[in-house]
Amino acid sequence: MYLSKIELTNYRNYSKLKIKLDPNINIFIGNNAQGKTNILESIYVLALTKSHRYGVENNLIRKDMLACRIKGTVKDGKKVKDLQFVLTNKSEKTVMVNDKEVKKISDYIFNMKVIMFCPDDLEMIKGTPAFRRNFMNIEISQLIQFYVQYLNEYNKILKNRNEYLKLLNVNQYTDLLYLDILNDKLIEKAVFIYTCRKQYMDSINAIIGDIYEKISGLKGLSVQYENNIDLMSYSEEEIRDKFLEKLKKNHKRELLQGTTLYGPHRDDFTFLLLEDDLKVYGSEGQKRLAIIAFKLAEVQVFYQITNTMPILLLDDIFSELDVKKRNRLIACLPTEIQIVITTTDLKNINRKLVKNAKIFVVDQGKITEKVGDKNGNGRKGRRNI
């Protein structure tokens, strides 16, 4: 799978832009704050209808404009799809495939799969459980078609249950039978969510340690998926029994607090290096490489599950790595995959990679194209886009 072209209208600092991308390696070079990351972000938004930058949706629209549009053509073998995303200043979204509107986001996001690394991803280790759950939900939603539907239904039931717990707390005569009904519905959705998350993390763990060792030279990286109902086997029967047991044992606590204390909405995961929590004991370099290894493991997991290679977006991935680790990382990059890279300096990137890349120069929202010569230095002159 690859994106052959992308067109932006009133998106961030771009009023009009149309780019043809290489099926393999694309590098956007320029100083900071010129619009490089906006290109990567637009590809991510076209795929998933949301930015990787949390809480910035209204800023996607160019200043003083009423709406923004992203259009792109995705090729996957013999299949060709024209995708379109439109966002208005009233936060209204429209998505289309081959000029036909798609009503459900869960149906749309299966058309283009992306994996992105950016500096903010260090929050996967440093940040909150909510950040990690959100990340996990986004990734799994690209792999399992009904995941978003089950997650949305779970959250609706969770909201109703929390409201009913508050009502029970002030009115002891309220019917408890309705709470039992909500429990059954909540557990039904939780079974699917727990199973998907466990399978996803197991798939990552089968690969991530080897990738991390190849890049860093250190053994023993793993990711520990954590739930708060003490699951072991993740069989459907065990999930149902353990979840119901937790709800019954903690009925009084939930009444007092007016909220549901157990379930997938409280999940988390931890990066471990030889059983030590990287958040506590890891260096900045170890954390950064752990995230990179996770993303590269995801590429293989996406292929295993969907039989399609995702598009890999790498935002300023090389600048803080020494030469040895850069070369090790490049050796781990999968072949036969479209990669889009941003950098402030081509010297940060392996010359062989530059030589085979399509190179775009970004300067104050304007993009010109140049193609690397045999030495990876780029031809004299540029072609305007």
Side-chain angles (χ1 to χ4, degrees), residues 219-244:
K219 295 182 179 181
L221 181 70
S222 63
V223 184
Q224 181 174 287
Y225 172 45
E226 300 166 351
N227 65 78
N228 65 355
I229 61 172
D230 307 322
L231 291 172
M232 297 297 291
S233 70
Y234 285 84
S235 67
E236 183 175 328
E237 183 179 0
E238 184 193 13
I239 295 172
R240 289 182 180 277
D241 291 345
K242 285 287 186 71
F243 200 172
L244 184 58

PDB file of all heavy atoms in Angstrom, residues 219-244:
ATOM      1  N   LYS A 219      19.344  -6.227  25.218  1.00  0.00           N
ATOM      2  CA  LYS A 219      18.347  -7.286  25.188  1.00  0.00           C
ATOM      3  C   LYS A 219      17.257  -7.032  26.226  1.00  0.00           C
ATOM      4  O   LYS A 219      17.447  -6.296  27.177  1.00  0.00           O
ATOM      5  CB  LYS A 219      19.003  -8.638  25.478  1.00  0.00           C
ATOM      6  CG  LYS A 219      19.999  -9.103  24.434  1.00  0.00           C
ATOM      7  CD  LYS A 219      20.540 -10.479  24.802  1.00  0.00           C
ATOM      8  CE  LYS A 219      21.522 -10.978  23.745  1.00  0.00           C
ATOM      9  NZ  LYS A 219      22.045 -12.322  24.078  1.00  0.00           N
ATOM     10  N   GLY A 220      16.098  -7.655  25.994  1.00  0.00           N
ATOM     11  CA  GLY A 220      15.097  -7.745  27.045  1.00  0.00           C
ATOM     12  C   GLY A 220      13.994  -6.717  27.035  1.00  0.00           C
ATOM     13  O   GLY A 220      13.336  -6.517  28.060  1.00  0.00           O
ATOM     14  N   LEU A 221      13.731  -6.042  25.900  1.00  0.00           N
ATOM     15  CA  LEU A 221      12.619  -5.092  25.874  1.00  0.00           C
ATOM     16  C   LEU A 221      11.307  -5.841  25.667  1.00  0.00           C
ATOM     17  O   LEU A 221      11.197  -6.718  24.798  1.00  0.00           O
ATOM     18  CB  LEU A 221      12.791  -4.067  24.753  1.00  0.00           C
ATOM     19  CG  LEU A 221      11.668  -3.015  24.675  1.00  0.00           C
ATOM     20  CD1 LEU A 221      11.739  -2.061  25.863  1.00  0.00           C
ATOM     21  CD2 LEU A 221      11.726  -2.235  23.361  1.00  0.00           C
ATOM     22  N   SER A 222      10.304  -5.480  26.452  1.00  0.00           N
ATOM     23  CA  SER A 222       8.967  -6.038  26.291  1.00  0.00           C
ATOM     24  C   SER A 222       7.939  -4.987  26.693  1.00  0.00           C
ATOM     25  O   SER A 222       8.279  -3.958  27.276  1.00  0.00           O
ATOM     26  CB  SER A 222       8.787  -7.299  27.135  1.00  0.00           C
ATOM     27  OG  SER A 222       8.905  -6.994  28.514  1.00  0.00           O
ATOM     28  N   VAL A 223       6.696  -5.259  26.360  1.00  0.00           N
ATOM     29  CA  VAL A 223       5.599  -4.355  26.715  1.00  0.00           C
ATOM     30  C   VAL A 223       4.585  -5.161  27.521  1.00  0.00           C
ATOM     31  O   VAL A 223       4.100  -6.193  27.067  1.00  0.00           O
ATOM     32  CB  VAL A 223       4.924  -3.753  25.468  1.00  0.00           C
ATOM     33  CG1 VAL A 223       3.855  -2.749  25.879  1.00  0.00           C
ATOM     34  CG2 VAL A 223       5.950  -3.078  24.575  1.00  0.00           C
ATOM     35  N   GLN A 224       4.275  -4.693  28.700  1.00  0.00           N
ATOM     36  CA  GLN A 224       3.368  -5.406  29.594  1.00  0.00           C
ATOM     37  C   GLN A 224       1.986  -4.756  29.571  1.00  0.00           C
ATOM     38  O   GLN A 224       1.812  -3.616  29.977  1.00  0.00           O
ATOM     39  CB  GLN A 224       3.915  -5.387  31.018  1.00  0.00           C
ATOM     40  CG  GLN A 224       3.051  -6.124  32.033  1.00  0.00           C
ATOM     41  CD  GLN A 224       3.721  -6.178  33.391  1.00  0.00           C
ATOM     42  OE1 GLN A 224       4.686  -6.908  33.603  1.00  0.00           O
ATOM     43  NE2 GLN A 224       3.229  -5.381  34.321  1.00  0.00           N
ATOM     44  N   TYR A 225       1.016  -5.509  29.072  1.00  0.00           N
ATOM     45  CA  TYR A 225      -0.370  -5.029  29.044  1.00  0.00           C
ATOM     46  C   TYR A 225      -0.978  -5.227  30.419  1.00  0.00           C
ATOM     47  O   TYR A 225      -0.889  -6.310  31.003  1.00  0.00           O
ATOM     48  CB  TYR A 225      -1.152  -5.799  27.979  1.00  0.00           C
ATOM     49  CG  TYR A 225      -2.642  -5.550  27.969  1.00  0.00           C
ATOM     50  CD1 TYR A 225      -3.159  -4.273  28.073  1.00  0.00           C
ATOM     51  CD2 TYR A 225      -3.525  -6.616  27.833  1.00  0.00           C
ATOM     52  CE1 TYR A 225      -4.521  -4.049  28.046  1.00  0.00           C
ATOM     53  CE2 TYR A 225      -4.891  -6.409  27.805  1.00  0.00           C
ATOM     54  CZ  TYR A 225      -5.393  -5.125  27.919  1.00  0.00           C
ATOM     55  OH  TYR A 225      -6.746  -4.909  27.903  1.00  0.00           O
ATOM     56  N   GLU A 226      -1.606  -4.182  30.945  1.00  0.00           N
ATOM     57  CA  GLU A 226      -2.093  -4.222  32.324  1.00  0.00           C
ATOM     58  C   GLU A 226      -3.591  -3.939  32.378  1.00  0.00           C
ATOM     59  O   GLU A 226      -4.071  -2.960  31.804  1.00  0.00           O
ATOM     60  CB  GLU A 226      -1.353  -3.177  33.176  1.00  0.00           C
ATOM     61  CG  GLU A 226       0.151  -3.402  33.214  1.00  0.00           C
ATOM     62  CD  GLU A 226       0.912  -2.202  33.769  1.00  0.00           C
ATOM     63  OE1 GLU A 226       0.278  -1.139  33.962  1.00  0.00           O
ATOM     64  OE2 GLU A 226       2.126  -2.327  33.985  1.00  0.00           O
ATOM     65  N   ASN A 227      -4.321  -4.821  33.045  1.00  0.00           N
ATOM     66  CA  ASN A 227      -5.733  -4.584  33.324  1.00  0.00           C
ATOM     67  C   ASN A 227      -5.936  -4.610  34.834  1.00  0.00           C
ATOM     68  O   ASN A 227      -5.049  -5.035  35.571  1.00  0.00           O
ATOM     69  CB  ASN A 227      -6.601  -5.654  32.660  1.00  0.00           C
ATOM     70  CG  ASN A 227      -6.354  -7.030  33.255  1.00  0.00           C
ATOM     71  OD1 ASN A 227      -6.852  -7.355  34.340  1.00  0.00           O
ATOM     72  ND2 ASN A 227      -5.564  -7.846  32.561  1.00  0.00           N
ATOM     73  N   ASN A 228      -7.061  -4.156  35.294  1.00  0.00           N
ATOM     74  CA  ASN A 228      -7.286  -4.107  36.739  1.00  0.00           C
ATOM     75  C   ASN A 228      -8.319  -5.110  37.234  1.00  0.00           C
ATOM     76  O   ASN A 228      -8.889  -4.947  38.302  1.00  0.00           O
ATOM     77  CB  ASN A 228      -7.674  -2.697  37.187  1.00  0.00           C
ATOM     78  CG  ASN A 228      -9.012  -2.245  36.617  1.00  0.00           C
ATOM     79  OD1 ASN A 228      -9.628  -2.935  35.805  1.00  0.00           O
ATOM     80  ND2 ASN A 228      -9.460  -1.070  37.045  1.00  0.00           N
ATOM     81  N   ILE A 229      -8.544  -6.173  36.426  1.00  0.00           N
ATOM     82  CA  ILE A 229      -9.428  -7.233  36.920  1.00  0.00           C
ATOM     83  C   ILE A 229      -8.691  -8.574  37.032  1.00  0.00           C
ATOM     84  O   ILE A 229      -9.300  -9.620  37.148  1.00  0.00           O
ATOM     85  CB  ILE A 229     -10.699  -7.381  36.063  1.00  0.00           C
ATOM     86  CG1 ILE A 229     -10.370  -7.751  34.619  1.00  0.00           C
ATOM     87  CG2 ILE A 229     -11.532  -6.124  36.103  1.00  0.00           C
ATOM     88  CD1 ILE A 229     -11.610  -8.101  33.811  1.00  0.00           C
ATOM     89  N   ASP A 230      -7.354  -8.509  36.994  1.00  0.00           N
ATOM     90  CA  ASP A 230      -6.506  -9.674  37.275  1.00  0.00           C
ATOM     91  C   ASP A 230      -6.721 -10.827  36.306  1.00  0.00           C
ATOM     92  O   ASP A 230      -6.795 -11.996  36.698  1.00  0.00           O
ATOM     93  CB  ASP A 230      -6.735 -10.164  38.713  1.00  0.00           C
ATOM     94  CG  ASP A 230      -6.571  -9.064  39.738  1.00  0.00           C
ATOM     95  OD1 ASP A 230      -5.667  -8.224  39.552  1.00  0.00           O
ATOM     96  OD2 ASP A 230      -7.343  -9.020  40.705  1.00  0.00           O
ATOM     97  N   LEU A 231      -6.775 -10.517  35.015  1.00  0.00           N
ATOM     98  CA  LEU A 231      -6.947 -11.573  34.006  1.00  0.00           C
ATOM     99  C   LEU A 231      -5.642 -12.307  33.776  1.00  0.00           C
ATOM    100  O   LEU A 231      -4.569 -11.735  33.814  1.00  0.00           O
ATOM    101  CB  LEU A 231      -7.435 -10.956  32.699  1.00  0.00           C
ATOM    102  CG  LEU A 231      -8.862 -10.403  32.695  1.00  0.00           C
ATOM    103  CD1 LEU A 231      -9.139  -9.643  31.411  1.00  0.00           C
ATOM    104  CD2 LEU A 231      -9.870 -11.528  32.876  1.00  0.00           C
ATOM    105  N   MET A 232      -5.773 -13.595  33.488  1.00  0.00           N
ATOM    106  CA  MET A 232      -4.595 -14.415  33.191  1.00  0.00           C
ATOM    107  C   MET A 232      -4.683 -15.006  31.779  1.00  0.00           C
ATOM    108  O   MET A 232      -3.826 -14.774  30.947  1.00  0.00           O
ATOM    109  CB  MET A 232      -4.469 -15.529  34.238  1.00  0.00           C
ATOM    110  CG  MET A 232      -4.234 -15.010  35.652  1.00  0.00           C
ATOM    111  SD  MET A 232      -2.681 -14.101  35.848  1.00  0.00           S
ATOM    112  CE  MET A 232      -1.523 -15.445  35.666  1.00  0.00           C
ATOM    113  N   SER A 233      -5.735 -15.763  31.503  1.00  0.00           N
ATOM    114  CA  SER A 233      -5.818 -16.476  30.226  1.00  0.00           C
ATOM    115  C   SER A 233      -6.518 -15.682  29.129  1.00  0.00           C
ATOM    116  O   SER A 233      -6.361 -15.967  27.955  1.00  0.00           O
ATOM    117  CB  SER A 233      -6.567 -17.806  30.417  1.00  0.00           C
ATOM    118  OG  SER A 233      -7.949 -17.570  30.671  1.00  0.00           O
ATOM    119  N   TYR A 234      -7.333 -14.721  29.481  1.00  0.00           N
ATOM    120  CA  TYR A 234      -8.097 -13.907  28.543  1.00  0.00           C
ATOM    121  C   TYR A 234      -9.085 -14.735  27.717  1.00  0.00           C
ATOM    122  O   TYR A 234      -9.453 -14.369  26.616  1.00  0.00           O
ATOM    123  CB  TYR A 234      -7.180 -13.109  27.608  1.00  0.00           C
ATOM    124  CG  TYR A 234      -6.547 -11.931  28.292  1.00  0.00           C
ATOM    125  CD1 TYR A 234      -5.378 -12.091  29.035  1.00  0.00           C
ATOM    126  CD2 TYR A 234      -7.099 -10.665  28.233  1.00  0.00           C
ATOM    127  CE1 TYR A 234      -4.795 -11.017  29.690  1.00  0.00           C
ATOM    128  CE2 TYR A 234      -6.525  -9.582  28.883  1.00  0.00           C
ATOM    129  CZ  TYR A 234      -5.371  -9.770  29.609  1.00  0.00           C
ATOM    130  OH  TYR A 234      -4.789  -8.701  30.255  1.00  0.00           O
ATOM    131  N   SER A 235      -9.509 -15.865  28.277  1.00  0.00           N
ATOM    132  CA  SER A 235     -10.588 -16.595  27.634  1.00  0.00           C
ATOM    133  C   SER A 235     -11.885 -15.827  27.875  1.00  0.00           C
ATOM    134  O   SER A 235     -12.016 -15.071  28.842  1.00  0.00           O
ATOM    135  CB  SER A 235     -10.709 -18.002  28.213  1.00  0.00           C
ATOM    136  OG  SER A 235     -11.123 -17.946  29.564  1.00  0.00           O
ATOM    137  N   GLU A 236     -12.850 -16.019  26.987  1.00  0.00           N
ATOM    138  CA  GLU A 236     -14.127 -15.309  27.126  1.00  0.00           C
ATOM    139  C   GLU A 236     -14.780 -15.596  28.471  1.00  0.00           C
ATOM    140  O   GLU A 236     -15.298 -14.691  29.134  1.00  0.00           O
ATOM    141  CB  GLU A 236     -15.063 -15.717  25.985  1.00  0.00           C
ATOM    142  CG  GLU A 236     -16.387 -14.979  25.991  1.00  0.00           C
ATOM    143  CD  GLU A 236     -17.236 -15.313  24.782  1.00  0.00           C
ATOM    144  OE1 GLU A 236     -16.658 -15.585  23.705  1.00  0.00           O
ATOM    145  OE2 GLU A 236     -18.470 -15.305  24.914  1.00  0.00           O
ATOM    146  N   GLU A 237     -14.727 -16.851  28.890  1.00  0.00           N
ATOM    147  CA  GLU A 237     -15.339 -17.243  30.154  1.00  0.00           C
ATOM    148  C   GLU A 237     -14.652 -16.573  31.348  1.00  0.00           C
ATOM    149  O   GLU A 237     -15.322 -16.072  32.270  1.00  0.00           O
ATOM    150  CB  GLU A 237     -15.274 -18.760  30.314  1.00  0.00           C
ATOM    151  CG  GLU A 237     -15.956 -19.276  31.579  1.00  0.00           C
ATOM    152  CD  GLU A 237     -15.890 -20.794  31.688  1.00  0.00           C
ATOM    153  OE1 GLU A 237     -15.313 -21.444  30.774  1.00  0.00           O
ATOM    154  OE2 GLU A 237     -16.404 -21.344  32.686  1.00  0.00           O
ATOM    155  N   GLU A 238     -13.308 -16.544  31.332  1.00  0.00           N
ATOM    156  CA  GLU A 238     -12.588 -15.942  32.449  1.00  0.00           C
ATOM    157  C   GLU A 238     -12.857 -14.443  32.539  1.00  0.00           C
ATOM    158  O   GLU A 238     -13.041 -13.892  33.628  1.00  0.00           O
ATOM    159  CB  GLU A 238     -11.082 -16.179  32.342  1.00  0.00           C
ATOM    160  CG  GLU A 238     -10.331 -15.639  33.564  1.00  0.00           C
ATOM    161  CD  GLU A 238      -8.829 -15.558  33.368  1.00  0.00           C
ATOM    162  OE1 GLU A 238      -8.364 -15.681  32.220  1.00  0.00           O
ATOM    163  OE2 GLU A 238      -8.141 -15.340  34.370  1.00  0.00           O
ATOM    164  N   ILE A 239     -12.872 -13.770  31.398  1.00  0.00           N
ATOM    165  CA  ILE A 239     -13.128 -12.335  31.400  1.00  0.00           C
ATOM    166  C   ILE A 239     -14.493 -12.045  32.014  1.00  0.00           C
ATOM    167  O   ILE A 239     -14.638 -11.167  32.880  1.00  0.00           O
ATOM    168  CB  ILE A 239     -13.051 -11.753  29.976  1.00  0.00           C
ATOM    169  CG1 ILE A 239     -11.627 -11.881  29.417  1.00  0.00           C
ATOM    170  CG2 ILE A 239     -13.470 -10.278  29.978  1.00  0.00           C
ATOM    171  CD1 ILE A 239     -11.507 -11.515  27.955  1.00  0.00           C
ATOM    172  N   ARG A 240     -15.506 -12.795  31.588  1.00  0.00           N
ATOM    173  CA  ARG A 240     -16.854 -12.587  32.109  1.00  0.00           C
ATOM    174  C   ARG A 240     -16.893 -12.803  33.621  1.00  0.00           C
ATOM    175  O   ARG A 240     -17.428 -11.984  34.376  1.00  0.00           O
ATOM    176  CB  ARG A 240     -17.840 -13.524  31.414  1.00  0.00           C
ATOM    177  CG  ARG A 240     -18.122 -13.175  29.965  1.00  0.00           C
ATOM    178  CD  ARG A 240     -19.150 -14.115  29.348  1.00  0.00           C
ATOM    179  NE  ARG A 240     -19.401 -13.773  27.968  1.00  0.00           N
ATOM    180  CZ  ARG A 240     -20.242 -12.819  27.577  1.00  0.00           C
ATOM    181  NH1 ARG A 240     -20.897 -12.124  28.494  1.00  0.00           N
ATOM    182  NH2 ARG A 240     -20.416 -12.566  26.299  1.00  0.00           N
ATOM    183  N   ASP A 241     -16.318 -13.926  34.057  1.00  0.00           N
ATOM    184  CA  ASP A 241     -16.385 -14.282  35.480  1.00  0.00           C
ATOM    185  C   ASP A 241     -15.624 -13.289  36.351  1.00  0.00           C
ATOM    186  O   ASP A 241     -16.123 -12.828  37.384  1.00  0.00           O
ATOM    187  CB  ASP A 241     -15.837 -15.700  35.688  1.00  0.00           C
ATOM    188  CG  ASP A 241     -16.750 -16.768  35.088  1.00  0.00           C
ATOM    189  OD1 ASP A 241     -17.910 -16.433  34.780  1.00  0.00           O
ATOM    190  OD2 ASP A 241     -16.293 -17.919  34.922  1.00  0.00           O
ATOM    191  N   LYS A 242     -14.396 -12.956  35.941  1.00  0.00           N
ATOM    192  CA  LYS A 242     -13.564 -12.063  36.747  1.00  0.00           C
ATOM    193  C   LYS A 242     -14.135 -10.644  36.787  1.00  0.00           C
ATOM    194  O   LYS A 242     -14.121  -9.989  37.839  1.00  0.00           O
ATOM    195  CB  LYS A 242     -12.135 -12.033  36.187  1.00  0.00           C
ATOM    196  CG  LYS A 242     -11.309 -13.280  36.498  1.00  0.00           C
ATOM    197  CD  LYS A 242     -10.902 -13.283  37.975  1.00  0.00           C
ATOM    198  CE  LYS A 242      -9.968 -14.425  38.301  1.00  0.00           C
ATOM    199  NZ  LYS A 242      -8.635 -14.245  37.727  1.00  0.00           N
ATOM    200  N   PHE A 243     -14.633 -10.181  35.651  1.00  0.00           N
ATOM    201  CA  PHE A 243     -15.186  -8.829  35.585  1.00  0.00           C
ATOM    202  C   PHE A 243     -16.428  -8.721  36.478  1.00  0.00           C
ATOM    203  O   PHE A 243     -16.566  -7.787  37.284  1.00  0.00           O
ATOM    204  CB  PHE A 243     -15.533  -8.479  34.135  1.00  0.00           C
ATOM    205  CG  PHE A 243     -15.647  -7.000  33.873  1.00  0.00           C
ATOM    206  CD1 PHE A 243     -15.784  -6.524  32.575  1.00  0.00           C
ATOM    207  CD2 PHE A 243     -15.632  -6.059  34.896  1.00  0.00           C
ATOM    208  CE1 PHE A 243     -15.893  -5.170  32.307  1.00  0.00           C
ATOM    209  CE2 PHE A 243     -15.741  -4.699  34.640  1.00  0.00           C
ATOM    210  CZ  PHE A 243     -15.884  -4.262  33.359  1.00  0.00           C
ATOM    211  N   LEU A 244     -17.324  -9.693  36.361  1.00  0.00           N
ATOM    212  CA  LEU A 244     -18.543  -9.668  37.175  1.00  0.00           C
ATOM    213  C   LEU A 244     -18.205  -9.761  38.662  1.00  0.00           C
ATOM    214  O   LEU A 244     -18.822  -9.064  39.492  1.00  0.00           O
ATOM    215  CB  LEU A 244     -19.465 -10.820  36.763  1.00  0.00           C
ATOM    216  CG  LEU A 244     -20.835 -10.866  37.455  1.00  0.00           C
ATOM    217  CD1 LEU A 244     -21.609  -9.583  37.211  1.00  0.00           C
ATOM    218  CD2 LEU A 244     -21.635 -12.071  36.971  1.00  0.00           C
TER     219      LEU A 244
END
